[in-house]
């Protein structure tokens, strides 16, 4: 019978070996106070390690932490950099956010990419663009 208490040491050992998903999971445990005491500072450190190893969800979480000043100084510039890195790593919600919040970028292209990656709101937005284009024709 599996026990939740057995999971934590396994995640910790995998994280010590640099496993990106284990680092991300431990960061989330710290962020949420699940199995470990809540600590945004420890979460940031682990999210950063996971992000540096290419974990797109960790990049997105760092965007959120930088934007809100959780566990590190608030910085819109750093938040944008992490959002862009997450989008470059094909994180669907990051691509969607870039499309919706950065008017200088090619919105339809970004929305189409997010939709292709399974972002349902982006799918709706792309469908709306197609309907509008059909009505204008």
């Amino acid at each position: 019978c599996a026990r939740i208490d057995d999971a934590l040491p396994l995640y910790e050992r995998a994280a010590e070996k640099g496993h990106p998903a284990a680092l991300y999971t431990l960061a989330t445990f710290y962020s949420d106070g699940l199995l470990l005491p809540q600590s945004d500072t420890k979460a940031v450190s682990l999210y950063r390690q996971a992000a540096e190893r290419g974990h797109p969800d960790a990049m997105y979480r760092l965007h959120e932490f930088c934007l809100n000043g959780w566990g590190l100084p608030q910085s819109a510039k750093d938040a944008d950099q992490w959002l862009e890195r997450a989008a470059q790593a094909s994180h669907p919600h990051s691509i969607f956010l870039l499309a919706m919040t950065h008017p200088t970028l090619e919105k339809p292209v970004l929305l189409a990419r997010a939709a292709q990656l399974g972002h349902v709101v982006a799918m709706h937005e792309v469908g709306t663009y197609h309907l509008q284009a059909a009505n204008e024709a």
Side-chain angles (χ1 to χ4, degrees):
C1 182
R3 295 172 8 143
I4 197 164
D5 293 339
D6 295 333
L8 184 58
L10 295 170
Y11 284 122
E12 290 172 331
R13 282 190 291 181
E16 287 169 6
K17 296 184 181 293
H19 188 270
L23 289 161
Y24 176 83
T25 299
L26 283 177
T28 302
F29 288 167
Y30 277 113
S31 173
D32 296 346
L34 177 66
L35 300 180
L36 294 166
Q38 199 285 330
S39 172
D40 287 340
T41 303
K42 289 181 181 179
V44 166
S45 174
L46 291 164
Y47 281 136
R48 189 177 311 275
Q49 291 176 58
E52 289 168 355
R53 289 168 175 78
H55 198 287
D57 290 328
M59 295 172 195
Y60 177 74
R61 290 294 286 161
L62 283 169
H63 153 75
E64 291 182 315
F65 274 60
C66 289
L67 194 62
N68 293 293
W70 299 331
L72 73 172
Q74 189 173 14
S75 170
K77 179 183 174 189
D78 289 346
D80 281 349
Q81 289 175 345
W82 282 115
L83 185 66
E84 289 173 17
R85 284 185 65 182
Q88 290 170 359
S90 297
H91 187 268
H93 190 62
S94 297
I95 296 166
F96 175 78
L97 284 178
L98 282 177
M100 300 306 286
T101 62
H102 290 72
T104 59
L105 299 176
E106 187 63 35
K107 185 175 182 175
V109 172
L110 290 172
L111 286 174
R113 184 167 163 223
Q116 289 170 343
L117 292 169
H119 194 280
V120 294
V121 178
M123 291 175 196
H124 177 268
E125 292 291 324
V126 171
T128 300
Y129 275 121
H130 287 300
L131 284 177
Q132 289 173 342
N135 286 334
E136 291 173 3

